Amino acid sequence: MKSCLLLSLLLLAACTQVPGGKGDFQAGDRAAIIDLQHRYVLAMDYFDADGYAAVFTPDGVLDWAGGEVKGRDAIRQFMASGTYDLRKLNFKPAQTPDGKEWPSTVRHLVTNQVIEIDGDHARAISYWMNYANNADRHKIEWLSFGSWDDELVKVGGKWLFKRHTIYNEGNAKRFTAGQSNPLER
Amino acid sequence: MKSCLLLSLLLLAACTQVPGGKGDFQAGDRAAIIDLQHRYVLAMDYFDADGYAAVFTPDGVLDWAGGEVKGRDAIRQFMASGTYDLRKLNFKPAQTPDGKEWPSTVRHLVTNQVIEIDGDHARAISYWMNYANNADRHKIEWLSFGSWDDELVKVGGKWLFKRHTIYNEGNAKRFTAGQSNPLER
Amino acid sequence: MKSCLLLSLLLLAACTQVPGGKGDFQAGDRAAIIDLQHRYVLAMDYFDADGYAAVFTPDGVLDWAGGEVKGRDAIRQFMASGTYDLRKLNFKPAQTPDGKEWPSTVRHLVTNQVIEIDGDHARAISYWMNYANNADRHKIEWLSFGSWDDELVKVGGKWLFKRHTIYNEGNAKRFTAGQSNPLER
């Protein structure tokens, strides 16, 4: 009995660093949040309105240069509407050598995540940039850059955006230049 | 005895989220797959044919714009052959102020991974871009961009590429523009 | 008693893959090291000298193109001094449409980490690039690129830079072009 109790206590010590807890730096939660951000981008870049809306909570808010879009349904409609289609910028049509249409591509990089997790709530600060080959399919043209300040919640074991705020250093109303470290704000 | 059993059951609950399982979002597997991709790039960018081949299974396939390269040995020879040496593009020789040769550098960024894991098999969708300072050592010149669609297997506890498929938005035969979200394909 | 012992042994087996151990690819340690790198960049890009110094050990070394800066206090003073302020490069003042000052932004991307961990010591190889909108707030201008070779230590459960070495492919004294894979060095 004593040895079993001792063994159990040793196990308890070994298990205090449970995954999702502080002991492993919440590695699973961090990976899930970053995966969510990347699914958001993939859906955006491939114009998948359902996939784009699916990363938000039902009452989630997209807060971007064009204003606030509130709720998953409105967010789906926003993406489906083509309002945010950067392929139009400086676009020139192109064909493959065998005469097929060659559409252009817009892509978003998301990097440099700093994530702070408190139970089922989290905040993530990230850098984003976007680029395209709209004018010349063989050339990369950089479009704009900024940061995200995301509020996330874990619902039923799954992380989702509650508020996705997009700052843009090339937009007079959305830049953060001159401000203090966002981790201090 | 009873308290020990109770303690053990509590421990069991605490330990159900074992690392590598679903409970921690397979954080270890995800980290290992991303680490593998980064080792692949480092070996490629520093022209280390052995390191480049080592990330593939013995029967692994490299599926790129030039065709399929099948098996680790063929992949090693492919990298050692210098076929894929983008330092040649638009190259101009340069010297340091004290007269030493200053070679140019080609680098690949890999970002935006979305990884789906099923036991010892996984699929990873990633973005890639490459750049160089071939013409002017002080300048970044962007070369091309695309995505990877990787099939991975875990062999003896280690993740490896089984098939590494490279899409390229600047190549008429390898672009994905106009297609649906790769996660739906 | 017997069943309790058996249960405990099963628990022990389940718990051998403790977070931070080899079983989960040290996912928590890796996430913590990458988070540290991103906090370093955020502090640097928002000119937060305290945040910048906080990622180093008290005797940590910043090894960059300008030489070695030794110790957290010296590193804080270095960042506070404005020596490393790339907003000055090619700078042109700008205003928002409503007449407010519109400062420029410099950002650093850090990607492609390969991390090797041995207990409380680690080495991380990473790629970095930086860019700004100094001349035109609406344009991304790429400045320079290179790699980091970081020596890290875990002190009191927290990873910190012991030596942060910055290579720069656009600097005649700091390039790595022509060298072997850093993982072999």
Side-chain angles (χ1 to χ4, degrees):
Chain A
M1 170 73 189
K2 242 185 190 165
S3 68
C4 177
L5 190 63
L6 185 67
L7 189 57
S8 291
L9 287 171
L10 283 171
L11 283 167
L12 188 61
C15 289
T16 43
Q17 285 191 308
V18 289
K22 291 265 175 186
D24 69 345
F25 203 69
Q26 304 141 309
D29 288 326
R30 286 170 198 281
I33 289 168
I34 292 172
D35 179 85
L36 187 83
Q37 292 182 326
H38 293 171
R39 285 174 187 270
Y40 165 94
V41 170
L42 211 53
M44 177 166 56
D45 289 349
Y46 282 92
F47 303 92
D48 167 15
D50 288 333
Y52 185 77
V55 302
F56 288 87
T57 59
D59 64 345
V61 176
L62 167 65
D63 179 3
W64 77 299
E68 289 190 353
V69 187
K70 294 180 180 178
R72 195 184 277 167
D73 292 338
I75 291 169
R76 183 187 295 106
Q77 285 165 32
F78 165 75
M79 183 46 62
S81 72
T83 305
Y84 185 75
D85 187 346
L86 301 177
R87 290 176 299 188
K88 300 169 194 165
L89 295 172
N90 200 19
F91 179 76
K92 296 204 183 89
Q95 288 194 331
T96 63
D98 54 343
K100 284 195 302 174
E101 190 197 355
W102 187 349
S104 72
T105 295
V106 175
R107 294 249 160 111
H108 293 73
L109 290 187
V110 52
T111 66
N112 289 48
Q113 287 93 348
V114 177
I115 304 174
E116 301 196 322
I117 302 172
D118 183 11
D120 290 339
H121 288 76
R123 183 190 185 200
I125 309 285
S126 316
Y127 282 177
W128 66 267
M129 308 186 75
N130 56 19
Y131 59 100
N133 63 354
N134 293 339
D136 176 346
R137 299 298 175 272
H138 299 286
K139 284 232 170 101
I140 294 170
E141 184 184 8
W142 289 94
L143 301 175
S144 51
F145 72 100
S147 56
W148 292 348
D149 193 339
D150 293 322
E151 184 189 343
L152 299 117
V153 290
K154 197 175 185 178
V155 184
K158 191 172 155 42
W159 285 99
L160 293 169
F161 286 130
K162 186 160 180 63
R163 176 175 282 270
H164 176 57
T165 302
I166 304 174
Y167 294 110
N168 183 331
E169 301 300 317
N171 183 308
K173 290 181 177 165
R174 307 289 290 186
F175 67 82
T176 68
Q179 295 185 14
S180 59
N181 188 334
L183 295 174
E184 304 298 321
R185 276 181 263 147
Chain B
M1 170 73 190
K2 242 184 189 167
S3 66
C4 176
L5 190 63
L6 185 66
L7 188 57
S8 290
L9 287 171
L10 284 171
L11 283 166
L12 188 62
C15 288
T16 43
Q17 285 192 307
V18 290
K22 291 264 174 184
D24 70 345
F25 204 68
Q26 303 142 311
D29 288 326
R30 286 170 199 280
I33 288 167
I34 291 173
D35 179 85
L36 187 85
Q37 292 183 326
H38 293 171
R39 285 174 187 270
Y40 164 94
V41 169
L42 211 53
M44 177 165 57
D45 289 349
Y46 282 92
F47 303 93
D48 168 14
D50 288 333
Y52 184 77
V55 302
F56 288 87
T57 59
D59 65 344
V61 177
L62 168 65
D63 179 4
W64 76 299
E68 289 190 352
V69 187
K70 294 180 181 178
R72 196 185 277 167
D73 292 338
I75 290 169
R76 184 187 294 107
Q77 286 167 32
F78 165 76
M79 183 46 62
S81 72
T83 305
Y84 185 75
D85 186 347
L86 300 178
R87 292 177 298 188
K88 300 169 194 164
L89 295 172
N90 199 20
F91 179 77
K92 295 202 184 92
Q95 288 194 330
T96 62
D98 54 344
K100 284 195 302 175
E101 188 197 355
W102 187 348
S104 72
T105 295
V106 175
R107 294 249 161 113
H108 292 73
L109 291 188
V110 52
T111 67
N112 289 49
Q113 287 92 347
V114 176
I115 304 175
E116 301 197 322
I117 301 172
D118 183 12
D120 290 339
H121 287 76
R123 183 192 184 198
I125 309 285
S126 316
Y127 282 177
W128 67 266
M129 310 186 73
N130 57 18
Y131 59 99
N133 63 354
N134 293 338
D136 177 346
R137 298 299 175 271
H138 300 285
K139 285 232 170 102
I140 294 170
E141 183 183 9
W142 289 95
L143 301 174
S144 51
F145 72 99
S147 56
W148 292 348
D149 193 339
D150 292 323
E151 184 188 342
L152 299 118
V153 290
K154 198 174 185 179
V155 184
K158 191 173 155 42
W159 285 100
L160 294 168
F161 286 131
K162 187 160 180 63
R163 175 175 283 270
H164 177 56
T165 302
I166 304 173
Y167 294 110
N168 184 332
E169 301 301 317
N171 183 308
K173 290 181 177 164
R174 307 289 289 187
F175 68 82
T176 69
Q179 295 185 15
S180 58
N181 189 333
L183 294 174
E184 303 298 322
R185 277 180 260 147
Chain C
M1 168 75 189
K2 241 184 190 169
S3 68
C4 175
L5 190 63
L6 186 67
L7 189 56
S8 291
L9 286 171
L10 284 171
L11 283 167
L12 188 62
C15 290
T16 43
Q17 283 191 308
V18 289
K22 291 266 175 184
D24 69 344
F25 203 68
Q26 303 141 311
D29 288 326
R30 286 170 198 281
I33 288 167
I34 291 173
D35 179 85
L36 187 84
Q37 291 183 327
H38 293 170
R39 285 173 187 271
Y40 165 94
V41 169
L42 211 53
M44 177 166 57
D45 290 350
Y46 282 92
F47 303 91
D48 167 13
D50 288 333
Y52 184 77
V55 302
F56 288 87
T57 59
D59 65 345
V61 178
L62 167 65
D63 178 4
W64 77 298
E68 289 190 351
V69 187
K70 295 181 180 175
R72 196 185 277 168
D73 292 337
I75 290 169
R76 183 187 293 107
Q77 285 166 32
F78 165 75
M79 183 46 64
S81 73
T83 306
Y84 185 75
D85 187 346
L86 300 177
R87 291 176 299 188
K88 300 169 194 164
L89 295 172
N90 199 22
F91 179 77
K92 295 203 184 90
Q95 288 194 331
T96 62
D98 54 344
K100 285 195 302 175
E101 189 197 355
W102 187 349
S104 72
T105 295
V106 175
R107 294 248 161 112
H108 292 73
L109 291 187
V110 52
T111 66
N112 289 48
Q113 287 92 347
V114 176
I115 304 175
E116 301 196 322
I117 302 172
D118 183 12
D120 290 339
H121 287 76
R123 183 191 185 199
I125 309 285
S126 317
Y127 283 177
W128 67 266
M129 309 185 74
N130 56 20
Y131 59 100
N133 63 354
N134 294 339
D136 177 347
R137 299 298 175 270
H138 299 285
K139 284 233 170 101
I140 294 170
E141 183 184 8
W142 290 95
L143 300 175
S144 51
F145 72 100
S147 55
W148 292 348
D149 193 340
D150 293 323
E151 185 188 341
L152 299 118
V153 291
K154 197 175 186 178
V155 184
K158 191 172 154 43
W159 285 100
L160 293 168
F161 286 131
K162 187 161 180 62
R163 176 174 281 269
H164 177 56
T165 302
I166 303 174
Y167 294 110
N168 184 333
E169 300 301 317
N171 183 308
K173 290 181 176 166
R174 307 288 291 186
F175 67 82
T176 68
Q179 295 185 15
S180 58
N181 188 334
L183 294 174
E184 303 297 322
R185 276 181 261 146

